[in-house]
Amino acid sequence: MIFKVKNIDNDYRNLKNFEVFLFYGPNIGKSENLSKKLLKNIFKNESKYNSLVKLNDINADSSSIKELGFGSDLFGDKKIIICKFNNLSSVINIEDLKNIVSTRSSKVIIISGDLEKKNKIRKAFESSKFFVSIPCYEDNFYEKETIIKESLKKEGIYLSDQLVKMLIDSNDRDRNFLNQKLEKIINYYKFKQTINSKVLYEIINDSKTIDIENLVYNIFSGNLEDFDTLYNFLFKQGVNNITIINACARHAHKLYEAKFKSENCSIETAVEQMKPPIFFKHKKNFINHLKIWNFPLLERVISLLSEIEQNLKTANNNQHLLSKFSLLKILLKARKLARYPS
């Protein structure tokens, strides 16, 4: 069953009797925002649901929902299972979800990216009166305006209608990227106490740089969960593979430089000495990278990225796959290092 939901708080009375929900679409930020509000309402209004389990591509397989979805936990509380998968068909079993509905044993919230009309999971949700399907497409003008004004109001920041419209017109199809711009506006305002059209223009047009930087930090942190979303978004935006590879190489060089500085002072002091400075939002992650990546590994990464860049310049086909596979190798190494630091 398809529900077109804009405000979970207002629509919750129509949703509370359902057990299984699918949030999908290209607007990942909207899916995440609406699913969080649904979760908040469940906890607020239904005392029997006090146990939360999060599943993703790393910690789940096709049997996970079946194993977790039936019965209560040790304290007699029913579970809410949050699922965020890149490949739904390999993990989601419709029959398991039907059994959860019939037993009312758990609530399952599934968050996905865009799904084609012929996708089996999407079709099953849309055709069943027991499942809730909530498509999340680009926010309209009013939704974007509301997000902007409410976010800035919380920080005591006022933008003229002209600047608000300028921000709305920046064509953010995913709410996450509008939120990133708002974060930069808030940070800038706290420092300068003013925002004009020139500054806003620079923030809007710097959005791809922000997205690339987020991808780089995800790679060197070993964050597999968001890799596909960030990488594929940049690819669709037309960002060149070599641009991403070079951004990763610059980050590896920065780590190498900071690690060299830290031999004569603390890591925190070394980071403070970096020029240009590390953006404060990323400082904690940058310090963590310094702790898990040693000199030999950084040298190997720099060498690998240089080799990939040369291969991309000569390869006519499969550039996207070559780049993505190489970056995944670095990410998986980081993931291992984060668990077993060198």
Side-chain angles (χ1 to χ4, degrees), residues 63-175:
S63 64
S64 297
I65 291 177
K66 184 177 180 179
E67 291 171 357
L68 292 166
F70 300 102
S72 55
D73 67 7
L74 292 173
F75 301 100
D77 293 324
K78 291 190 175 183
K79 302 184 193 74
I80 303 171
I81 304 172
I82 306 287
C83 308
K84 190 174 181 182
F85 303 124
N86 289 316
N87 185 2
L88 291 185
S89 60
S90 65
V91 185
I92 302 297
N93 185 307
I94 294 299
E95 291 305 314
D96 291 340
L97 298 181
K98 287 179 180 178
N99 289 334
I100 286 172
V101 170
S102 64
T103 58
R104 301 181 73 87
S105 54
S106 301
K107 286 191 183 288
V108 179
I109 300 172
I110 302 167
I111 304 165
S112 176
D114 203 8
L115 299 174
E116 295 181 356
K117 286 186 178 181
K118 61 184 179 180
N119 180 277
K120 291 181 180 179
I121 305 296
R122 174 177 168 177
K123 286 172 70 176
F125 268 79
E126 291 178 347
S127 62
S128 172
K129 63 180 180 180
F130 301 110
F131 298 161
V132 173
S133 173
I134 301 177
C136 296
Y137 296 104
E138 182 177 357
D139 292 308
N140 60 33
F141 185 96
Y142 173 75
E143 288 173 312
K144 289 180 181 179
E145 183 181 47
T146 302
I147 292 166
I148 292 166
K149 289 186 174 180
E150 287 184 353
S151 298
L152 297 181
K153 185 179 179 181
K154 289 177 185 177
E155 303 294 332
I157 301 172
Y158 169 79
L159 289 186
S160 68
D161 289 341
Q162 180 185 0
L163 293 182
V164 170
K165 186 177 184 302
M166 183 177 170
L167 191 51
I168 291 170
D169 290 342
S170 64
N171 197 28
D172 289 299
R173 294 175 181 171
D174 185 335
R175 189 178 291 184

Side-chain angles (χ1 to χ4, degrees), residues 9 21 100 121 135 153 185 195 202 240 247 252 260 268 303 314:
D9 296 330
F21 306 84
I100 286 172
I121 305 296
K153 185 179 179 181
I185 289 169
I195 292 282
E202 290 175 354
N240 190 287
F260 185 78
E268 289 75 15
S303 176
T314 57

Side-chain angles (χ1 to χ4, degrees), residues 119-341:
N119 180 277
K120 291 181 180 179
I121 305 296
R122 174 177 168 177
K123 286 172 70 176
F125 268 79
E126 291 178 347
S127 62
S128 172
K129 63 180 180 180
F130 301 110
F131 298 161
V132 173
S133 173
I134 301 177
C136 296
Y137 296 104
E138 182 177 357
D139 292 308
N140 60 33
F141 185 96
Y142 173 75
E143 288 173 312
K144 289 180 181 179
E145 183 181 47
T146 302
I147 292 166
I148 292 166
K149 289 186 174 180
E150 287 184 353
S151 298
L152 297 181
K153 185 179 179 181
K154 289 177 185 177
E155 303 294 332
I157 301 172
Y158 169 79
L159 289 186
S160 68
D161 289 341
Q162 180 185 0
L163 293 182
V164 170
K165 186 177 184 302
M166 183 177 170
L167 191 51
I168 291 170
D169 290 342
S170 64
N171 197 28
D172 289 299
R173 294 175 181 171
D174 185 335
R175 189 178 291 184
N176 278 333
F177 300 107
L178 175 60
N179 289 334
Q180 285 178 357
K181 290 174 186 176
L182 288 170
E183 186 179 349
K184 286 203 77 175
I185 289 169
I186 291 165
N187 291 335
Y188 184 91
Y189 188 89
K190 286 179 178 178
F191 181 64
K192 294 286 188 179
Q193 295 296 303
T194 184
I195 292 282
N196 56 37
S197 58
K198 181 181 178 182
V199 170
L200 189 58
Y201 177 83
E202 290 175 354
I203 288 173
I204 289 170
N205 286 279
D206 191 41
S207 61
K208 283 185 182 178
T209 302
I210 299 170
D211 303 333
I212 293 170
E213 198 169 58
N214 286 337
L215 175 62
V216 169
Y217 274 86
N218 270 269
I219 290 168
F220 280 82
S221 297
N223 184 356
L224 183 61
E225 185 175 345
D226 296 325
F227 175 78
D228 266 338
T229 301
L230 288 168
Y231 187 88
N232 291 336
F233 178 82
L234 288 169
F235 182 70
K236 289 176 183 177
Q237 291 289 98
V239 176
N240 190 287
N241 287 302
I242 292 177
T243 301
I244 297 173
I245 295 297
N246 285 340
C248 288
R250 284 194 299 273
H251 187 73
H253 279 288
K254 282 182 185 177
L255 290 174
Y256 198 94
E257 179 186 350
K259 204 161 186 70
F260 185 78
K261 288 178 182 289
S262 69
E263 291 188 334
N264 298 312
C265 60
S266 68
I267 287 178
E268 289 75 15
T269 301
V271 172
E272 291 298 330
Q273 292 175 355
M274 293 295 291
K275 301 293 180 184
I278 305 301
F279 184 40
F280 76 91
K281 175 186 171 183
H282 292 308
K283 276 186 180 178
K284 183 178 178 180
N285 279 332
F286 191 88
I287 289 171
N288 286 337
H289 295 175
L290 287 173
K291 291 177 179 178
I292 66 173
W293 289 94
N294 61 30
F295 282 120
L297 286 173
L298 286 172
E299 288 168 1
R300 283 165 58 188
V301 167
I302 291 167
S303 176
L304 172 65
L305 290 168
S306 176
E307 183 181 335
I308 296 165
E309 182 185 0
Q310 293 303 315
N311 290 338
L312 287 172
K313 287 177 178 178
T314 57
N316 295 321
N317 300 314
N318 298 324
Q319 286 193 349
H320 178 64
L321 290 176
L322 173 61
S323 173
K324 190 173 183 179
F325 177 74
S326 301
L327 295 175
L328 269 171
K329 282 178 65 177
I330 298 171
L331 185 151
L332 293 173
K333 182 63 179 178
R335 190 170 188 80
K336 185 176 179 181
L337 291 172
R339 293 176 180 173
Y340 312 103

